[in-house]
Amino acid sequence: MCFRQAAWRRVGACLLGAGGVLAFAPCGWFALNWLTLAGLFGLLSAEADGERRMRDGAWLTVAYCFGLFLAGVSWVFVSLSVFGGLPIPLAGLATLLFCALLALCGAPIGALFVRLAPIGRLRRGLLFAGLWALAEWLRGWLLTGFPWLAAGYSQVPPSPLAGYAPLLGVFGVSLVSALSGALIHEVGRRWLNADQCSTRAVLRWCPALPLITLAVLFGAGEYLSGVRWTQPVGDKLSVALLQGNVAQEMKWRPERLLESLQTYYRLAEENPARLTVMPETALPAFLDQIPLTYLAALRELALRRDGDVLFGAVVADGRRYANSALSLGAAGEQRYDKVHLVPFGEFVPPGFAWFMALVDIPLADFTPGARQQPPLLLAGQRVGVNICYEDAFGEEIIDALPMATLLVNLSNVAWFGDSLAPAQHLQIAQMRALETGRVMLRATNTGMTAIVDADGRLQSVLPPFTRAALVGEVQPYAGATPFVRWGNWPLVVLAAIFVGLAAGRRRVP
């Protein structure tokens, strides 16, 4: 009977995790993140009040995380089967194993919570929030890192918790979101058990203390949203972000190269701006294979506007090659090489050459660029450039700051088709803008091309799977947010303090 109850609790945790995906883009029902974490907190608290077996607590959080990732990163299956050429059964198995591996990162949360949970419910909330934030932080760098679907990403504007991002980064927002979930659970528990509350309590209405704490958290977040950590600098800049909408299955075919070149040149010519940005590998060939006359035409186009064109291409150096962003125009030729490469997509992890032989992914073994690369000088601004997956790593983005006055991301998420990935990736860009107090420009192949304001709100977005240019004016910014100055360390220290305060008052077994 106990085994059956434990199994049902794990199923419930898995369903909570899957439902939590709706808190992220494209749905964006941010309050669901608090509610699903409240449910998980309740399940773990029940375990802590019962037999207190660390193993059962670990399985609960693993089940929650498995549901979250299986529902939220199912686009991995699309990239492996549709575009990678992997047989459907193998692609399905690989996706399940990938989600299971990610879910295991949640095991320490449940195990340690059950082991350390104090009697005081509010201290339990601190423990839960601290463990959750630390686990997400570790997932952000372990085995090169995969911080996708960190709870904080669901809290971009209009969430009242968005204001914490410039202070503590995405994992700090995760900490506050997890604490909010624990407080919501405690409000509900006390409300339902109000008749058991002591009449001698200072706050006689049973749910008062957690409700007030929750209101303070939300109120502080709203107040922080109005604080401007960075300042406008210089005049506004005209930009054109090009979305060529070249199908992934056609992109790398040699016979389609001329069509791609013509598409992007026409979009650039018809949409004048001082800074024109093309997506990642917009010119789908090695740089030395692109006609010199074409590059000269792009340069001339930029010079006529006293500006620059930034485009993505592959640069070869002997047997080594880099995923690069290159510029032509008034500021001269400049180059940025992608630093944080995607496992399996851009480099082969040791021991997995056999797997790469099964899939059809072109150019799957890039050489990373140097970690410290200065911002590019484009259209009179210093631009922090990052390519695709790199913008998922906030502590790496701030390497270009506070020198950079503008952030630009070149992406190609056509690998994931019409899935959740493009919208989730745009939400990640919103968080980077919030953390840094900088406008983020995103130029993508199939979507979602966007201008994100320095407060994390979307200024404008192109519809996905359309061929168009997004033209607008953006304001450069100077200065540094607390996150830019100190990175994730304040969050790590705060989360450790939360865990220490709660663990120091744990129950005697």
Side-chain angles (χ1 to χ4, degrees):
M1 186 67 177
C2 290
F3 174 80
R4 183 176 298 176
Q5 290 176 349
W8 279 113
R9 285 198 295 269
R10 293 167 193 171
V11 170
C14 186
L15 293 175
L16 281 172
V21 172
L22 298 176
F24 298 86
C27 291
W29 300 339
F30 58 85
L32 267 181
N33 186 253
W34 314 330
L35 297 177
T36 56
L37 288 174
L40 178 62
F41 176 79
L43 290 172
L44 290 173
S45 288
E47 189 63 45
D49 289 333
E51 298 181 18
R52 300 185 64 204
R53 292 188 296 189
M54 294 176 66
R55 179 185 62 191
D56 291 338
W59 275 114
L60 282 172
T61 47
V62 167
Y64 178 95
C65 293
F66 184 71
L68 175 71
F69 291 119
L70 191 61
V73 298
S74 54
W75 37 262
V76 171
F77 174 81
V78 177
S79 65
L80 292 176
S81 62
V82 177
F83 301 112
L86 199 64
I88 289 178
L90 287 179
L93 178 61
T95 302
L96 285 172
L97 291 176
F98 177 66
C99 293
L101 179 63
L102 293 174
L104 288 176
C105 294
I109 301 173
L112 291 174
F113 181 89
V114 169
R115 175 68 182 86
L116 302 175
I119 295 176
R121 292 284 180 149
L122 296 183
R123 290 194 184 93
R124 282 190 185 186
L126 296 180
L127 177 64
F128 179 70
L131 289 173
W132 191 270
L134 289 173
E136 287 193 344
W137 173 69
L138 288 171
R139 179 162 60 86
W141 61 263
L142 192 65
L143 299 176
T144 79
F146 189 79
W148 217 272
L149 294 185
Y153 285 126
S154 67
Q155 302 302 309
V156 297
S159 167
L161 303 186
Y164 291 100
L167 282 171
L168 298 172
V170 64
F171 304 123
V173 181
S174 293
L175 179 139
V176 182
S177 192
L179 181 58
S180 299
L183 289 169
I184 288 171
H185 178 272
E186 187 59 12
V187 168
R189 188 189 70 84
R190 292 191 180 194
W191 193 301
L192 294 174
N193 297 282
D195 57 332
Q196 300 176 16
C197 291
S198 171
T199 57
R200 292 173 297 181
V202 175
L203 295 171
R204 300 194 175 220
W205 185 51
C206 208
L209 186 55
L211 195 60
I212 291 171
T213 307
L214 193 63
V216 169
L217 279 180
F218 288 175
E222 284 287 1
Y223 171 78
L224 290 170
S225 294
V227 176
R228 292 294 172 257
W229 303 98
T230 56
Q231 307 80 39
V233 58
D235 297 328
K236 289 189 174 182
L237 175 69
S238 61
V239 299
L241 312 178
L242 311 186
Q243 182 173 291
N245 195 34
V246 179
Q248 185 62 36
E249 61 270 24
M250 299 293 182
K251 181 174 180 177
W252 291 98
R253 294 186 181 181
E255 66 272 17
R256 303 300 292 268
L257 174 60
L258 181 59
E259 180 182 342
S260 292
L261 298 182
Q262 292 173 338
T263 293
Y264 280 105
Y265 183 83
R266 185 169 57 252
L267 286 172
E269 185 179 39
E270 294 173 352
N271 298 276
R274 285 201 66 199
L275 177 59
T276 300
V277 186
M278 301 182 191
E280 176 188 18
T281 59
L283 311 185
F286 289 107
L287 183 63
D288 58 9
Q289 295 174 337
I290 299 171
L292 292 178
T293 53
Y294 181 81
L295 296 176
L298 281 181
R299 183 184 298 107
E300 178 61 28
L301 196 63
L303 289 173
R304 290 204 304 265
R305 298 160 181 171
D306 189 29
D308 295 277
V309 173
L310 183 68
F311 63 91
V314 180
V315 179
D317 180 14
R319 293 186 177 182
R320 300 158 65 91
Y321 47 90
N323 187 355
S324 303
L326 305 106
S327 73
L328 298 168
E333 298 182 10
Q334 300 169 80
R335 172 178 160 187
Y336 168 82
D337 294 337
K338 188 176 184 182
V339 180
H340 200 126
L341 303 179
V342 181
F344 303 104
E346 292 177 322
F347 79 94
V348 182
F352 282 91
W354 61 272
F355 179 78
M356 298 308 296
L358 298 175
V359 297
D360 180 23
I361 299 178
L363 303 173
D365 200 10
F366 286 97
T367 298
R371 174 66 188 263
Q372 298 296 331
Q373 299 181 60
L376 304 187
L377 180 61
L378 302 172
Q381 299 297 325
R382 295 196 178 276
V383 178
V385 178
N386 52 89
I387 299 177
C388 200
Y389 181 63
E390 287 187 306
D391 71 349
F393 300 89
E395 205 160 30
E396 296 177 13
I397 294 298
I398 63 175
D399 285 345
L401 299 169
M403 187 180 299
T405 57
L406 192 66
L407 297 177
V408 173
N409 176 265
L410 286 67
S411 287
N412 176 32
V413 289
W415 282 102
F416 308 113
D418 188 9
S419 67
L420 299 177
Q424 291 173 354
H425 200 181
L426 177 56
Q427 193 172 50
I428 287 172
Q430 291 180 258
M431 181 56 67
R432 297 291 86 85
L434 267 171
E435 290 173 343
T436 61
R438 297 295 193 280
V439 171
M440 170 72 88
L441 306 178
R442 298 190 73 242
T444 70
N445 176 21
T446 56
M448 301 172 71
T449 297
I451 298 174
V452 184
D453 284 334
D455 61 0
R457 297 181 186 274
L458 297 176
Q459 177 178 317
S460 51
V461 186
L462 282 181
F465 303 104
T466 57
R467 180 170 294 176
L470 183 60
V471 179
E473 287 192 335
V474 298
Q475 176 65 60
Y477 283 84
T481 64
F483 179 75
V484 166
R485 295 184 185 279
W486 300 308
N488 284 319
W489 287 112
L491 167 276
V492 173
V493 171
L494 182 61
I497 290 173
F498 276 21
V499 173
L501 286 174
R505 302 295 296 272
R506 67 181 183 271
R507 298 182 305 181
V508 178

